[in-house]
Amino acid sequence: DIQMTQSPSSVSASVGDRVTITCRASQGISSWLAWYQQKPGKAPKLLIYAASSLQTGVPSRFSGSGSGTDFTLTISSLQPEDCATYFCQQANSFPLTFGGGTKVEIK
Amino acid sequence: QVQLQESGPGMVKPSETLSFTCTVSGGSISGYYWSWIRQSPGKGLEWIGYIYYTGSTDYNSSLKSRVTISVDTSKNQFSLKLNSVTAADTAVYYCARWGTRSSGQGAFDIWGQGTMVTVSS
């Protein structure tokens, strides 16, 4: 199985800051990576698919990049409503696997 | 828009079978892949398996011996059965639509609200 490792496990930043989250795959996954946002008590919400494609309706301050084994999710200007846990997920091979999550908080 | 709604028990006894149904509303189950995913504090998010509307399936090898996913297109529903449950199966269970790599997505674009299941005697 492909292991997905996220870092950091948590980040605290101020409103308006740029926030970057990293996801590393244990082997190359081309661009088959998705990012999700999850708020407490809610289901995950798809933000980014195929490493850099923005899901319809997601604010443009969210962006994704990377290929192979290293990927990043960037929030260009952190907003209060972005407080959540973010997960990556690889779709290169089955079983589909997720990262452990990064919790984003407002300082 | 398409919405998913899980239904199932909140508690199951050890060694019993956990059963869930996911109802698709606002769209057809046909033409898509549908998945079950669970989330526990200890293991994070874990993909359980998927079913295509035609009935073809694939399961996570870690659960394959205990899992069955089925589909009823006439009811716009798909279901999960997990047998011989233990406390390790305690989790929030989600149903979700899987956008395949051939569609260019490779992601779960629509999720149900999730249902917590506790395995306890």
Side-chain angles (χ1 to χ4, degrees), chain A residues 57-101:
Chain A
V58 174
S60 59
R61 64 180 179 273
F62 291 94
S63 64
S65 65
S67 67
T69 60
D70 294 316
F71 301 85
T72 58
L73 173 70
T74 299
I75 308 172
S76 61
S77 177
L78 187 67
Q79 300 302 303
E81 59 267 32
D82 300 335
C83 288
T85 300
Y86 294 83
F87 295 93
C88 60
Q89 169 245 315
Q90 65 83 18
N92 185 72
S93 62
F94 290 92
L96 307 171
T97 49
F98 293 83

Short mmCIF file of all heavy atoms in Angstrom, two decimals, chain A residues 57-101:
data_model
loop_
_atom_site.label_atom_id
_atom_site.label_comp_id
_atom_site.label_asym_id
_atom_site.label_seq_id
_atom_site.Cartn_x
_atom_site.Cartn_y
_atom_site.Cartn_z
N GLY A 57 -16.55 25.56 -7.18
CA GLY A 57 -17.10 26.21 -5.99
C GLY A 57 -16.10 26.47 -4.89
O GLY A 57 -16.41 27.16 -3.90
N VAL A 58 -14.90 25.95 -5.02
CA VAL A 58 -13.87 26.15 -4.00
C VAL A 58 -13.17 27.49 -4.25
O VAL A 58 -12.79 27.79 -5.39
CB VAL A 58 -12.85 24.99 -4.02
CG1 VAL A 58 -11.69 25.26 -3.07
CG2 VAL A 58 -13.56 23.69 -3.65
N PRO A 59 -12.97 28.29 -3.20
CA PRO A 59 -12.34 29.61 -3.39
C PRO A 59 -10.95 29.50 -4.01
O PRO A 59 -10.20 28.56 -3.73
CB PRO A 59 -12.26 30.16 -1.97
CG PRO A 59 -13.34 29.47 -1.23
CD PRO A 59 -13.42 28.10 -1.80
N SER A 60 -10.61 30.50 -4.81
CA SER A 60 -9.35 30.47 -5.55
C SER A 60 -8.13 30.68 -4.66
O SER A 60 -7.00 30.55 -5.13
CB SER A 60 -9.36 31.52 -6.65
OG SER A 60 -9.56 32.81 -6.10
N ARG A 61 -8.31 30.99 -3.38
CA ARG A 61 -7.16 31.09 -2.48
C ARG A 61 -6.55 29.72 -2.18
O ARG A 61 -5.45 29.63 -1.67
CB ARG A 61 -7.52 31.80 -1.16
CG ARG A 61 -8.55 31.09 -0.31
CD ARG A 61 -8.83 31.90 0.96
NE ARG A 61 -9.83 31.25 1.81
CZ ARG A 61 -11.14 31.42 1.67
NH1 ARG A 61 -11.60 32.21 0.74
NH2 ARG A 61 -11.98 30.78 2.50
N PHE A 62 -7.28 28.66 -2.51
CA PHE A 62 -6.75 27.31 -2.36
C PHE A 62 -6.07 26.90 -3.68
O PHE A 62 -6.65 27.09 -4.76
CB PHE A 62 -7.85 26.30 -2.04
CG PHE A 62 -8.45 26.47 -0.67
CD1 PHE A 62 -9.59 27.23 -0.48
CD2 PHE A 62 -7.86 25.87 0.43
CE1 PHE A 62 -10.13 27.40 0.78
CE2 PHE A 62 -8.39 26.02 1.70
CZ PHE A 62 -9.54 26.80 1.88
N SER A 63 -4.87 26.34 -3.59
CA SER A 63 -4.21 25.82 -4.76
C SER A 63 -3.37 24.61 -4.39
O SER A 63 -2.95 24.45 -3.23
CB SER A 63 -3.33 26.90 -5.42
OG SER A 63 -2.28 27.27 -4.55
N GLY A 64 -3.15 23.76 -5.37
CA GLY A 64 -2.35 22.57 -5.16
C GLY A 64 -1.28 22.45 -6.21
O GLY A 64 -1.44 22.93 -7.34
N SER A 65 -0.17 21.82 -5.84
CA SER A 65 0.92 21.62 -6.80
C SER A 65 1.66 20.34 -6.44
O SER A 65 1.48 19.77 -5.36
CB SER A 65 1.87 22.82 -6.79
OG SER A 65 2.51 22.93 -5.53
N GLY A 66 2.52 19.93 -7.37
CA GLY A 66 3.36 18.77 -7.14
C GLY A 66 3.07 17.63 -8.08
O GLY A 66 2.05 17.61 -8.78
N SER A 67 4.00 16.69 -8.11
CA SER A 67 3.84 15.46 -8.87
C SER A 67 4.89 14.47 -8.39
O SER A 67 5.88 14.86 -7.76
CB SER A 67 3.96 15.69 -10.38
OG SER A 67 5.27 16.07 -10.71
N GLY A 68 4.65 13.20 -8.68
CA GLY A 68 5.61 12.19 -8.23
C GLY A 68 5.36 11.80 -6.79
O GLY A 68 4.40 11.08 -6.51
N THR A 69 6.19 12.29 -5.89
CA THR A 69 6.02 11.94 -4.48
C THR A 69 5.74 13.13 -3.57
O THR A 69 5.33 12.92 -2.42
CB THR A 69 7.28 11.23 -3.94
OG1 THR A 69 8.40 12.09 -4.08
CG2 THR A 69 7.53 9.91 -4.66
N ASP A 70 5.97 14.35 -4.03
CA ASP A 70 5.85 15.52 -3.15
C ASP A 70 4.80 16.50 -3.66
O ASP A 70 4.86 16.94 -4.81
CB ASP A 70 7.19 16.22 -3.02
CG ASP A 70 8.22 15.34 -2.30
OD1 ASP A 70 7.85 14.72 -1.28
OD2 ASP A 70 9.37 15.28 -2.76
N PHE A 71 3.90 16.86 -2.76
CA PHE A 71 2.75 17.70 -3.11
C PHE A 71 2.54 18.76 -2.04
O PHE A 71 2.88 18.56 -0.87
CB PHE A 71 1.49 16.84 -3.23
CG PHE A 71 1.60 15.77 -4.27
CD1 PHE A 71 2.19 14.55 -3.97
CD2 PHE A 71 1.15 15.99 -5.57
CE1 PHE A 71 2.31 13.55 -4.94
CE2 PHE A 71 1.26 15.00 -6.53
CZ PHE A 71 1.85 13.79 -6.22
N THR A 72 1.95 19.88 -2.45
CA THR A 72 1.63 20.92 -1.49
C THR A 72 0.23 21.45 -1.73
O THR A 72 -0.24 21.52 -2.86
CB THR A 72 2.61 22.09 -1.54
OG1 THR A 72 2.61 22.64 -2.86
CG2 THR A 72 4.00 21.68 -1.16
N LEU A 73 -0.42 21.81 -0.63
CA LEU A 73 -1.66 22.57 -0.64
C LEU A 73 -1.34 23.93 -0.05
O LEU A 73 -0.76 24.01 1.03
CB LEU A 73 -2.73 21.87 0.20
CG LEU A 73 -4.04 22.65 0.39
CD1 LEU A 73 -4.83 22.75 -0.91
CD2 LEU A 73 -4.90 22.04 1.50
N THR A 74 -1.71 24.98 -0.77
CA THR A 74 -1.45 26.34 -0.31
C THR A 74 -2.75 27.09 -0.14
O THR A 74 -3.62 27.04 -1.02
CB THR A 74 -0.53 27.08 -1.29
OG1 THR A 74 0.72 26.39 -1.39
CG2 THR A 74 -0.28 28.51 -0.82
N ILE A 75 -2.88 27.76 0.99
CA ILE A 75 -3.96 28.72 1.20
C ILE A 75 -3.29 30.08 1.12
O ILE A 75 -2.45 30.42 1.97
CB ILE A 75 -4.66 28.53 2.55
CG1 ILE A 75 -5.08 27.07 2.74
CG2 ILE A 75 -5.87 29.46 2.67
CD1 ILE A 75 -5.62 26.75 4.14
N SER A 76 -3.61 30.86 0.11
CA SER A 76 -2.83 32.08 -0.17
C SER A 76 -3.07 33.18 0.86
O SER A 76 -2.17 33.95 1.18
CB SER A 76 -3.15 32.61 -1.57
OG SER A 76 -4.53 32.93 -1.65
N SER A 77 -4.26 33.24 1.41
CA SER A 77 -4.60 34.26 2.41
C SER A 77 -5.61 33.62 3.36
O SER A 77 -6.80 33.55 3.06
CB SER A 77 -5.19 35.49 1.72
OG SER A 77 -5.58 36.45 2.68
N LEU A 78 -5.13 33.19 4.51
CA LEU A 78 -5.95 32.41 5.43
C LEU A 78 -7.15 33.21 5.92
O LEU A 78 -7.01 34.37 6.34
CB LEU A 78 -5.09 31.96 6.61
CG LEU A 78 -5.73 31.00 7.60
CD1 LEU A 78 -5.99 29.63 6.94
CD2 LEU A 78 -4.85 30.83 8.84
N GLN A 79 -8.32 32.59 5.85
CA GLN A 79 -9.55 33.20 6.34
C GLN A 79 -10.08 32.43 7.56
O GLN A 79 -9.77 31.23 7.71
CB GLN A 79 -10.60 33.21 5.24
CG GLN A 79 -10.19 33.98 4.01
CD GLN A 79 -9.87 35.44 4.33
OE1 GLN A 79 -10.70 36.15 4.88
NE2 GLN A 79 -8.65 35.86 4.00
N PRO A 80 -10.86 33.07 8.41
CA PRO A 80 -11.35 32.37 9.62
C PRO A 80 -12.10 31.08 9.29
O PRO A 80 -11.99 30.10 10.03
CB PRO A 80 -12.29 33.41 10.25
CG PRO A 80 -11.75 34.73 9.80
CD PRO A 80 -11.23 34.50 8.41
N GLU A 81 -12.81 31.07 8.18
CA GLU A 81 -13.58 29.88 7.82
C GLU A 81 -12.70 28.73 7.32
O GLU A 81 -13.20 27.62 7.06
CB GLU A 81 -14.65 30.21 6.77
CG GLU A 81 -14.12 30.77 5.47
CD GLU A 81 -14.08 32.28 5.43
OE1 GLU A 81 -13.86 32.91 6.49
OE2 GLU A 81 -14.27 32.84 4.31
N ASP A 82 -11.40 28.97 7.19
CA ASP A 82 -10.48 27.92 6.73
C ASP A 82 -9.98 27.05 7.88
O ASP A 82 -9.24 26.09 7.65
CB ASP A 82 -9.29 28.53 5.99
CG ASP A 82 -9.70 29.32 4.77
OD1 ASP A 82 -10.79 29.04 4.21
OD2 ASP A 82 -8.95 30.23 4.36
N CYS A 83 -10.37 27.40 9.11
CA CYS A 83 -10.00 26.55 10.26
C CYS A 83 -10.63 25.19 10.08
O CYS A 83 -11.86 25.04 10.04
CB CYS A 83 -10.50 27.16 11.57
SG CYS A 83 -9.61 28.61 12.05
N ALA A 84 -9.80 24.17 9.96
CA ALA A 84 -10.27 22.83 9.63
C ALA A 84 -9.06 21.89 9.64
O ALA A 84 -7.92 22.33 9.83
CB ALA A 84 -10.92 22.82 8.25
N THR A 85 -9.34 20.61 9.41
CA THR A 85 -8.27 19.64 9.19
C THR A 85 -8.25 19.30 7.71
O THR A 85 -9.31 19.11 7.09
CB THR A 85 -8.49 18.37 10.04
OG1 THR A 85 -8.51 18.75 11.42
CG2 THR A 85 -7.37 17.37 9.82
N TYR A 86 -7.07 19.22 7.14
CA TYR A 86 -6.88 18.98 5.71
C TYR A 86 -6.21 17.63 5.51
O TYR A 86 -5.26 17.28 6.21
CB TYR A 86 -6.06 20.11 5.09
CG TYR A 86 -6.79 21.43 5.12
CD1 TYR A 86 -6.78 22.22 6.26
CD2 TYR A 86 -7.53 21.87 4.02
CE1 TYR A 86 -7.49 23.41 6.32
CE2 TYR A 86 -8.24 23.06 4.07
CZ TYR A 86 -8.22 23.82 5.22
OH TYR A 86 -8.93 25.00 5.27
N PHE A 87 -6.75 16.87 4.56
CA PHE A 87 -6.24 15.53 4.26
C PHE A 87 -5.85 15.42 2.79
O PHE A 87 -6.52 15.99 1.92
CB PHE A 87 -7.31 14.46 4.52
CG PHE A 87 -7.73 14.33 5.94
CD1 PHE A 87 -8.84 15.03 6.42
CD2 PHE A 87 -7.05 13.50 6.82
CE1 PHE A 87 -9.25 14.91 7.74
CE2 PHE A 87 -7.46 13.37 8.13
CZ PHE A 87 -8.55 14.08 8.59
N CYS A 88 -4.79 14.69 2.52
CA CYS A 88 -4.47 14.33 1.15
C CYS A 88 -4.88 12.87 0.93
O CYS A 88 -5.05 12.11 1.88
CB CYS A 88 -2.99 14.53 0.83
SG CYS A 88 -1.83 13.58 1.84
N GLN A 89 -5.05 12.50 -0.34
CA GLN A 89 -5.47 11.14 -0.70
C GLN A 89 -4.88 10.80 -2.07
O GLN A 89 -4.97 11.61 -2.99
CB GLN A 89 -7.00 11.07 -0.77
CG GLN A 89 -7.57 9.79 -1.39
CD GLN A 89 -8.30 10.06 -2.68
OE1 GLN A 89 -9.09 11.00 -2.79
NE2 GLN A 89 -8.03 9.24 -3.70
N GLN A 90 -4.26 9.62 -2.18
CA GLN A 90 -3.68 9.23 -3.45
C GLN A 90 -4.67 8.35 -4.23
O GLN A 90 -5.41 7.56 -3.64
CB GLN A 90 -2.34 8.52 -3.26
CG GLN A 90 -2.37 7.18 -2.55
CD GLN A 90 -2.72 6.00 -3.44
OE1 GLN A 90 -2.63 6.08 -4.68
NE2 GLN A 90 -3.14 4.88 -2.84
N ALA A 91 -4.65 8.53 -5.54
CA ALA A 91 -5.53 7.75 -6.41
C ALA A 91 -4.72 7.02 -7.48
O ALA A 91 -5.26 6.64 -8.52
CB ALA A 91 -6.56 8.67 -7.05
N ASN A 92 -3.43 6.84 -7.23
CA ASN A 92 -2.60 6.17 -8.24
C ASN A 92 -2.85 4.67 -8.28
O ASN A 92 -2.81 4.05 -9.35
CB ASN A 92 -1.12 6.42 -7.94
CG ASN A 92 -0.21 5.86 -9.00
OD1 ASN A 92 -0.13 6.38 -10.11
ND2 ASN A 92 0.48 4.78 -8.68
N SER A 93 -3.11 4.09 -7.10
CA SER A 93 -3.32 2.64 -7.07
C SER A 93 -4.19 2.28 -5.87
O SER A 93 -4.27 3.02 -4.88
CB SER A 93 -1.98 1.90 -6.98
OG SER A 93 -1.30 2.24 -5.80
N PHE A 94 -4.82 1.13 -5.99
CA PHE A 94 -5.65 0.62 -4.91
C PHE A 94 -4.81 -0.25 -3.98
O PHE A 94 -3.91 -0.96 -4.44
CB PHE A 94 -6.83 -0.20 -5.47
CG PHE A 94 -7.84 0.67 -6.18
CD1 PHE A 94 -7.74 0.91 -7.54
CD2 PHE A 94 -8.86 1.29 -5.48
CE1 PHE A 94 -8.65 1.73 -8.19
CE2 PHE A 94 -9.79 2.09 -6.11
CZ PHE A 94 -9.69 2.31 -7.48
N PRO A 95 -5.05 -0.18 -2.64
CA PRO A 95 -6.13 0.57 -2.02
C PRO A 95 -5.85 2.07 -1.97
O PRO A 95 -4.72 2.49 -1.78
CB PRO A 95 -6.18 0.01 -0.60
CG PRO A 95 -4.76 -0.40 -0.33
CD PRO A 95 -4.25 -0.92 -1.64
N LEU A 96 -6.90 2.86 -2.17
CA LEU A 96 -6.78 4.29 -2.02
C LEU A 96 -6.41 4.59 -0.57
O LEU A 96 -6.95 3.97 0.35
CB LEU A 96 -8.11 4.96 -2.38
CG LEU A 96 -8.68 4.59 -3.74
CD1 LEU A 96 -10.10 5.14 -3.91
CD2 LEU A 96 -7.78 5.08 -4.86
N THR A 97 -5.49 5.52 -0.37
CA THR A 97 -5.03 5.82 0.98
C THR A 97 -4.98 7.31 1.22
O THR A 97 -4.82 8.11 0.28
CB THR A 97 -3.64 5.19 1.24
OG1 THR A 97 -2.76 5.53 0.15
CG2 THR A 97 -3.73 3.69 1.36
N PHE A 98 -5.11 7.67 2.50
CA PHE A 98 -5.17 9.06 2.92
C PHE A 98 -3.98 9.39 3.82
O PHE A 98 -3.43 8.52 4.51
CB PHE A 98 -6.44 9.30 3.74
CG PHE A 98 -7.73 9.18 2.96
CD1 PHE A 98 -8.30 7.94 2.75
CD2 PHE A 98 -8.36 10.31 2.48
CE1 PHE A 98 -9.51 7.82 2.04
CE2 PHE A 98 -9.57 10.21 1.79
CZ PHE A 98 -10.13 8.96 1.56
N GLY A 99 -3.64 10.68 3.85
CA GLY A 99 -2.69 11.18 4.82
C GLY A 99 -3.34 11.30 6.19
O GLY A 99 -4.57 11.20 6.32
N GLY A 100 -2.52 11.54 7.21
CA GLY A 100 -3.01 11.59 8.58
C GLY A 100 -3.68 12.89 8.97
O GLY A 100 -4.29 12.99 10.03
N GLY A 101 -3.57 13.91 8.12
CA GLY A 101 -4.27 15.17 8.39
C GLY A 101 -3.37 16.26 8.94
O GLY A 101 -2.38 15.99 9.62
#
